Amino acid sequence: MKHAYLILAHNQFEILEQLLVLIDDPRNDIFIHIDKKVVDLPVLQTELANLWILEDRIDVRWGDVSVVEAELLLFQQAYQHGPYGHYHLLSGVDLPLHGQDYIHAFCQVNSGKQFIGYSSGDQSLHIERKVQRWHLFPRHFRSSGSLADNLRRAIRFIGMRVQLVFGIRRNRAIQFKKGTQWVSLTHDFVAFMLQHTQRLLDTYRYTFCADEIFVQTLCWNSNFRDSIYNLADEAEGSQRLIRWKDNRLYDWGDQDFGLLHGSALLFARKFNTQHMKVVAQIVSTITTANGKAT
């Protein structure tokens, strides 16, 4: 069965072009959402895979529910062209670490599994802060330093303090889970998720970084829980190699090729155009193994 690649992109399109090279396969359909704020759209094309660049674009803001909206839009568009064995959600600065033969074979062996990463340890404080409080002006979490943004930040701070003092909490009845937003889902689970689109948007409006929570929570509180590939290890569970250190995401550098090349995980994030050597090495290694010219 074919696979769907769903890509959220907003910058560094040179890496997106290389990502397309690696997933350009007749067994794949590719769907790309480019942030509405992007004015000069890149020229993207494939030779073997069907490619759709979404015309309906969302102004995606970090930490805001608009990230969830863009993801759901991608899943909805892909679902209409399905069914697919798996729907792989990637950013435009991610890359596969293996060829398509490997990825399709791995997913075939694990047919019916949800590749969703779950954070280990006690996440209750993170969850309470992010989705059990009301966050004001969520589209402006990242301040530009303007007077208006400073005023919004002050109001948001006061609003949060009031909720803490008076014990105001929302979404009390939901058992939340969190992890990386980058997932690979089955057709049946995507159908289930899309059935709950409006409820998801209503639940996570005026929250913070719900993109790290909504898929994990929906799956956990459903009959699909038993189909989660790995609950104990976030990287194995999501099949994403991601460099986190001190709660900060780091880009892969040119010195990291050995680690990336030696990984059994399917995908890695995130790359940067300042370190294109490692990108070129990954592309060359995979395309050479596939018998393609680099």
PDB file of all heavy atoms in Angstrom, residues 114-136:
ATOM      1  N   GLN A 114       0.923   2.542  15.324  1.00  0.00           N
ATOM      2  CA  GLN A 114       1.017   4.003  15.351  1.00  0.00           C
ATOM      3  C   GLN A 114       2.405   4.374  15.860  1.00  0.00           C
ATOM      4  O   GLN A 114       2.778   4.003  16.970  1.00  0.00           O
ATOM      5  CB  GLN A 114      -0.048   4.605  16.276  1.00  0.00           C
ATOM      6  CG  GLN A 114      -1.434   3.997  16.166  1.00  0.00           C
ATOM      7  CD  GLN A 114      -2.028   4.048  14.785  1.00  0.00           C
ATOM      8  OE1 GLN A 114      -1.736   4.954  13.997  1.00  0.00           O
ATOM      9  NE2 GLN A 114      -2.855   3.071  14.456  1.00  0.00           N
ATOM     10  N   PHE A 115       3.153   5.103  15.050  1.00  0.00           N
ATOM     11  CA  PHE A 115       4.474   5.556  15.464  1.00  0.00           C
ATOM     12  C   PHE A 115       4.324   6.945  16.091  1.00  0.00           C
ATOM     13  O   PHE A 115       4.434   7.975  15.417  1.00  0.00           O
ATOM     14  CB  PHE A 115       5.435   5.560  14.276  1.00  0.00           C
ATOM     15  CG  PHE A 115       5.622   4.185  13.687  1.00  0.00           C
ATOM     16  CD1 PHE A 115       5.045   3.855  12.473  1.00  0.00           C
ATOM     17  CD2 PHE A 115       6.349   3.224  14.362  1.00  0.00           C
ATOM     18  CE1 PHE A 115       5.199   2.585  11.928  1.00  0.00           C
ATOM     19  CE2 PHE A 115       6.520   1.949  13.832  1.00  0.00           C
ATOM     20  CZ  PHE A 115       5.942   1.628  12.610  1.00  0.00           C
ATOM     21  N   ILE A 116       4.048   6.934  17.377  1.00  0.00           N
ATOM     22  CA  ILE A 116       3.802   8.152  18.147  1.00  0.00           C
ATOM     23  C   ILE A 116       4.753   8.146  19.335  1.00  0.00           C
ATOM     24  O   ILE A 116       4.786   7.177  20.100  1.00  0.00           O
ATOM     25  CB  ILE A 116       2.343   8.206  18.660  1.00  0.00           C
ATOM     26  CG1 ILE A 116       1.351   8.090  17.497  1.00  0.00           C
ATOM     27  CG2 ILE A 116       2.094   9.488  19.448  1.00  0.00           C
ATOM     28  CD1 ILE A 116      -0.104   7.963  17.952  1.00  0.00           C
ATOM     29  N   GLY A 117       5.531   9.208  19.493  1.00  0.00           N
ATOM     30  CA  GLY A 117       6.462   9.292  20.608  1.00  0.00           C
ATOM     31  C   GLY A 117       5.790   9.839  21.853  1.00  0.00           C
ATOM     32  O   GLY A 117       5.093  10.864  21.792  1.00  0.00           O
ATOM     33  N   TYR A 118       6.008   9.157  22.984  1.00  0.00           N
ATOM     34  CA  TYR A 118       5.470   9.602  24.271  1.00  0.00           C
ATOM     35  C   TYR A 118       6.623   9.970  25.202  1.00  0.00           C
ATOM     36  O   TYR A 118       7.550   9.177  25.389  1.00  0.00           O
ATOM     37  CB  TYR A 118       4.622   8.505  24.915  1.00  0.00           C
ATOM     38  CG  TYR A 118       3.245   8.373  24.299  1.00  0.00           C
ATOM     39  CD1 TYR A 118       3.067   7.692  23.108  1.00  0.00           C
ATOM     40  CD2 TYR A 118       2.131   8.951  24.903  1.00  0.00           C
ATOM     41  CE1 TYR A 118       1.813   7.576  22.520  1.00  0.00           C
ATOM     42  CE2 TYR A 118       0.872   8.845  24.332  1.00  0.00           C
ATOM     43  CZ  TYR A 118       0.714   8.157  23.143  1.00  0.00           C
ATOM     44  OH  TYR A 118      -0.541   8.055  22.569  1.00  0.00           O
ATOM     45  N   SER A 119       6.560  11.162  25.763  1.00  0.00           N
ATOM     46  CA  SER A 119       7.597  11.614  26.690  1.00  0.00           C
ATOM     47  C   SER A 119       7.599  10.755  27.940  1.00  0.00           C
ATOM     48  O   SER A 119       6.535  10.422  28.470  1.00  0.00           O
ATOM     49  CB  SER A 119       7.376  13.084  27.073  1.00  0.00           C
ATOM     50  OG  SER A 119       7.425  13.914  25.934  1.00  0.00           O
ATOM     51  N   SER A 120       8.782  10.426  28.414  1.00  0.00           N
ATOM     52  CA  SER A 120       8.896   9.630  29.631  1.00  0.00           C
ATOM     53  C   SER A 120       8.914  10.542  30.851  1.00  0.00           C
ATOM     54  O   SER A 120       9.101  11.757  30.738  1.00  0.00           O
ATOM     55  CB  SER A 120      10.169   8.785  29.588  1.00  0.00           C
ATOM     56  OG  SER A 120      11.309   9.615  29.470  1.00  0.00           O
ATOM     57  N   GLY A 121       8.742   9.950  32.005  1.00  0.00           N
ATOM     58  CA  GLY A 121       8.770  10.722  33.241  1.00  0.00           C
ATOM     59  C   GLY A 121       7.464  11.442  33.507  1.00  0.00           C
ATOM     60  O   GLY A 121       6.503  11.384  32.725  1.00  0.00           O
ATOM     61  N   ASP A 122       7.433  12.155  34.605  1.00  0.00           N
ATOM     62  CA  ASP A 122       6.238  12.884  35.021  1.00  0.00           C
ATOM     63  C   ASP A 122       6.105  14.174  34.220  1.00  0.00           C
ATOM     64  O   ASP A 122       6.923  15.086  34.358  1.00  0.00           O
ATOM     65  CB  ASP A 122       6.326  13.192  36.521  1.00  0.00           C
ATOM     66  CG  ASP A 122       5.058  13.861  37.056  1.00  0.00           C
ATOM     67  OD1 ASP A 122       4.098  14.024  36.273  1.00  0.00           O
ATOM     68  OD2 ASP A 122       5.050  14.231  38.243  1.00  0.00           O
ATOM     69  N   GLN A 123       5.105  14.263  33.380  1.00  0.00           N
ATOM     70  CA  GLN A 123       4.877  15.429  32.533  1.00  0.00           C
ATOM     71  C   GLN A 123       3.729  16.296  33.039  1.00  0.00           C
ATOM     72  O   GLN A 123       3.270  17.190  32.331  1.00  0.00           O
ATOM     73  CB  GLN A 123       4.584  14.960  31.099  1.00  0.00           C
ATOM     74  CG  GLN A 123       5.681  14.146  30.460  1.00  0.00           C
ATOM     75  CD  GLN A 123       6.953  14.946  30.277  1.00  0.00           C
ATOM     76  OE1 GLN A 123       6.923  16.119  29.914  1.00  0.00           O
ATOM     77  NE2 GLN A 123       8.100  14.309  30.533  1.00  0.00           N
ATOM     78  N   SER A 124       3.286  16.055  34.256  1.00  0.00           N
ATOM     79  CA  SER A 124       2.073  16.716  34.743  1.00  0.00           C
ATOM     80  C   SER A 124       2.207  18.237  34.803  1.00  0.00           C
ATOM     81  O   SER A 124       1.267  18.967  34.468  1.00  0.00           O
ATOM     82  CB  SER A 124       1.689  16.167  36.120  1.00  0.00           C
ATOM     83  OG  SER A 124       2.755  16.328  37.048  1.00  0.00           O
ATOM     84  N   LEU A 125       3.367  18.733  35.218  1.00  0.00           N
ATOM     85  CA  LEU A 125       3.537  20.185  35.296  1.00  0.00           C
ATOM     86  C   LEU A 125       3.525  20.813  33.913  1.00  0.00           C
ATOM     87  O   LEU A 125       2.929  21.880  33.705  1.00  0.00           O
ATOM     88  CB  LEU A 125       4.834  20.523  36.031  1.00  0.00           C
ATOM     89  CG  LEU A 125       4.853  20.221  37.531  1.00  0.00           C
ATOM     90  CD1 LEU A 125       6.207  20.584  38.142  1.00  0.00           C
ATOM     91  CD2 LEU A 125       3.737  20.978  38.253  1.00  0.00           C
ATOM     92  N   HIS A 126       4.202  20.178  32.955  1.00  0.00           N
ATOM     93  CA  HIS A 126       4.198  20.687  31.580  1.00  0.00           C
ATOM     94  C   HIS A 126       2.776  20.683  31.028  1.00  0.00           C
ATOM     95  O   HIS A 126       2.334  21.656  30.400  1.00  0.00           O
ATOM     96  CB  HIS A 126       5.094  19.821  30.693  1.00  0.00           C
ATOM     97  CG  HIS A 126       6.549  19.933  30.990  1.00  0.00           C
ATOM     98  ND1 HIS A 126       7.291  21.044  30.663  1.00  0.00           N
ATOM     99  CD2 HIS A 126       7.403  19.074  31.589  1.00  0.00           C
ATOM    100  CE1 HIS A 126       8.538  20.868  31.045  1.00  0.00           C
ATOM    101  NE2 HIS A 126       8.638  19.681  31.611  1.00  0.00           N
ATOM    102  N   ILE A 127       2.067  19.595  31.249  1.00  0.00           N
ATOM    103  CA  ILE A 127       0.713  19.468  30.719  1.00  0.00           C
ATOM    104  C   ILE A 127      -0.223  20.481  31.356  1.00  0.00           C
ATOM    105  O   ILE A 127      -1.016  21.139  30.670  1.00  0.00           O
ATOM    106  CB  ILE A 127       0.211  18.025  30.928  1.00  0.00           C
ATOM    107  CG1 ILE A 127       0.920  17.098  29.944  1.00  0.00           C
ATOM    108  CG2 ILE A 127      -1.306  17.940  30.783  1.00  0.00           C
ATOM    109  CD1 ILE A 127       0.698  15.635  30.204  1.00  0.00           C
ATOM    110  N   GLU A 128      -0.127  20.633  32.679  1.00  0.00           N
ATOM    111  CA  GLU A 128      -0.987  21.604  33.356  1.00  0.00           C
ATOM    112  C   GLU A 128      -0.752  23.008  32.810  1.00  0.00           C
ATOM    113  O   GLU A 128      -1.706  23.747  32.543  1.00  0.00           O
ATOM    114  CB  GLU A 128      -0.719  21.574  34.859  1.00  0.00           C
ATOM    115  CG  GLU A 128      -1.579  22.566  35.640  1.00  0.00           C
ATOM    116  CD  GLU A 128      -1.274  22.547  37.130  1.00  0.00           C
ATOM    117  OE1 GLU A 128      -0.968  21.448  37.653  1.00  0.00           O
ATOM    118  OE2 GLU A 128      -1.332  23.608  37.760  1.00  0.00           O
ATOM    119  N   ARG A 129       0.501  23.373  32.653  1.00  0.00           N
ATOM    120  CA  ARG A 129       0.815  24.724  32.168  1.00  0.00           C
ATOM    121  C   ARG A 129       0.362  24.921  30.729  1.00  0.00           C
ATOM    122  O   ARG A 129      -0.121  25.997  30.370  1.00  0.00           O
ATOM    123  CB  ARG A 129       2.324  24.963  32.269  1.00  0.00           C
ATOM    124  CG  ARG A 129       2.780  26.331  31.745  1.00  0.00           C
ATOM    125  CD  ARG A 129       4.256  26.556  32.025  1.00  0.00           C
ATOM    126  NE  ARG A 129       5.087  25.636  31.281  1.00  0.00           N
ATOM    127  CZ  ARG A 129       5.608  25.910  30.080  1.00  0.00           C
ATOM    128  NH1 ARG A 129       5.354  27.067  29.499  1.00  0.00           N
ATOM    129  NH2 ARG A 129       6.384  25.045  29.469  1.00  0.00           N
ATOM    130  N   LYS A 130       0.488  23.883  29.914  1.00  0.00           N
ATOM    131  CA  LYS A 130       0.259  24.063  28.484  1.00  0.00           C
ATOM    132  C   LYS A 130      -1.206  23.959  28.078  1.00  0.00           C
ATOM    133  O   LYS A 130      -1.666  24.727  27.219  1.00  0.00           O
ATOM    134  CB  LYS A 130       1.096  23.052  27.696  1.00  0.00           C
ATOM    135  CG  LYS A 130       2.582  23.341  27.759  1.00  0.00           C
ATOM    136  CD  LYS A 130       3.402  22.351  26.944  1.00  0.00           C
ATOM    137  CE  LYS A 130       4.873  22.751  26.946  1.00  0.00           C
ATOM    138  NZ  LYS A 130       5.702  21.823  26.145  1.00  0.00           N
ATOM    139  N   VAL A 131      -1.938  23.014  28.665  1.00  0.00           N
ATOM    140  CA  VAL A 131      -3.288  22.778  28.153  1.00  0.00           C
ATOM    141  C   VAL A 131      -4.380  22.790  29.211  1.00  0.00           C
ATOM    142  O   VAL A 131      -5.551  22.559  28.886  1.00  0.00           O
ATOM    143  CB  VAL A 131      -3.350  21.440  27.371  1.00  0.00           C
ATOM    144  CG1 VAL A 131      -2.491  21.509  26.128  1.00  0.00           C
ATOM    145  CG2 VAL A 131      -2.942  20.263  28.246  1.00  0.00           C
ATOM    146  N   GLN A 132      -4.020  23.073  30.463  1.00  0.00           N
ATOM    147  CA  GLN A 132      -5.060  23.143  31.493  1.00  0.00           C
ATOM    148  C   GLN A 132      -5.195  24.558  32.072  1.00  0.00           C
ATOM    149  O   GLN A 132      -5.845  24.744  33.098  1.00  0.00           O
ATOM    150  CB  GLN A 132      -4.775  22.123  32.596  1.00  0.00           C
ATOM    151  CG  GLN A 132      -4.913  20.691  32.093  1.00  0.00           C
ATOM    152  CD  GLN A 132      -4.831  19.662  33.195  1.00  0.00           C
ATOM    153  OE1 GLN A 132      -3.845  19.605  33.935  1.00  0.00           O
ATOM    154  NE2 GLN A 132      -5.855  18.835  33.304  1.00  0.00           N
ATOM    155  N   ARG A 133      -4.582  25.485  31.403  1.00  0.00           N
ATOM    156  CA  ARG A 133      -4.768  26.911  31.704  1.00  0.00           C
ATOM    157  C   ARG A 133      -5.204  27.623  30.434  1.00  0.00           C
ATOM    158  O   ARG A 133      -4.975  27.142  29.328  1.00  0.00           O
ATOM    159  CB  ARG A 133      -3.463  27.549  32.217  1.00  0.00           C
ATOM    160  CG  ARG A 133      -2.801  26.826  33.374  1.00  0.00           C
ATOM    161  CD  ARG A 133      -3.593  26.941  34.662  1.00  0.00           C
ATOM    162  NE  ARG A 133      -2.884  26.294  35.774  1.00  0.00           N
ATOM    163  CZ  ARG A 133      -3.388  26.133  36.982  1.00  0.00           C
ATOM    164  NH1 ARG A 133      -4.604  26.578  37.263  1.00  0.00           N
ATOM    165  NH2 ARG A 133      -2.684  25.526  37.932  1.00  0.00           N
ATOM    166  N   TRP A 134      -5.810  28.783  30.619  1.00  0.00           N
ATOM    167  CA  TRP A 134      -6.199  29.617  29.481  1.00  0.00           C
ATOM    168  C   TRP A 134      -5.020  30.521  29.127  1.00  0.00           C
ATOM    169  O   TRP A 134      -4.538  31.281  29.967  1.00  0.00           O
ATOM    170  CB  TRP A 134      -7.420  30.464  29.816  1.00  0.00           C
ATOM    171  CG  TRP A 134      -8.658  29.663  30.058  1.00  0.00           C
ATOM    172  CD1 TRP A 134      -9.096  29.147  31.247  1.00  0.00           C
ATOM    173  CD2 TRP A 134      -9.611  29.260  29.072  1.00  0.00           C
ATOM    174  NE1 TRP A 134     -10.267  28.452  31.072  1.00  0.00           N
ATOM    175  CE2 TRP A 134     -10.607  28.502  29.745  1.00  0.00           C
ATOM    176  CE3 TRP A 134      -9.723  29.459  27.701  1.00  0.00           C
ATOM    177  CZ2 TRP A 134     -11.705  27.955  29.083  1.00  0.00           C
ATOM    178  CZ3 TRP A 134     -10.817  28.910  27.035  1.00  0.00           C
ATOM    179  CH2 TRP A 134     -11.783  28.174  27.728  1.00  0.00           C
ATOM    180  N   HIS A 135      -4.554  30.448  27.894  1.00  0.00           N
ATOM    181  CA  HIS A 135      -3.457  31.288  27.424  1.00  0.00           C
ATOM    182  C   HIS A 135      -4.024  32.395  26.534  1.00  0.00           C
ATOM    183  O   HIS A 135      -4.608  32.115  25.480  1.00  0.00           O
ATOM    184  CB  HIS A 135      -2.431  30.457  26.643  1.00  0.00           C
ATOM    185  CG  HIS A 135      -1.648  29.522  27.511  1.00  0.00           C
ATOM    186  ND1 HIS A 135      -0.414  29.849  28.031  1.00  0.00           N
ATOM    187  CD2 HIS A 135      -1.930  28.274  27.961  1.00  0.00           C
ATOM    188  CE1 HIS A 135       0.034  28.836  28.758  1.00  0.00           C
ATOM    189  NE2 HIS A 135      -0.864  27.870  28.734  1.00  0.00           N
ATOM    190  N   LEU A 136      -3.842  33.614  26.963  1.00  0.00           N
ATOM    191  CA  LEU A 136      -4.332  34.762  26.206  1.00  0.00           C
ATOM    192  C   LEU A 136      -3.361  35.131  25.091  1.00  0.00           C
ATOM    193  O   LEU A 136      -2.155  34.936  25.228  1.00  0.00           O
ATOM    194  CB  LEU A 136      -4.534  35.951  27.140  1.00  0.00           C
ATOM    195  CG  LEU A 136      -5.452  35.707  28.345  1.00  0.00           C
ATOM    196  CD1 LEU A 136      -5.536  36.948  29.223  1.00  0.00           C
ATOM    197  CD2 LEU A 136      -6.851  35.278  27.883  1.00  0.00           C
TER     198      LEU A 136
END
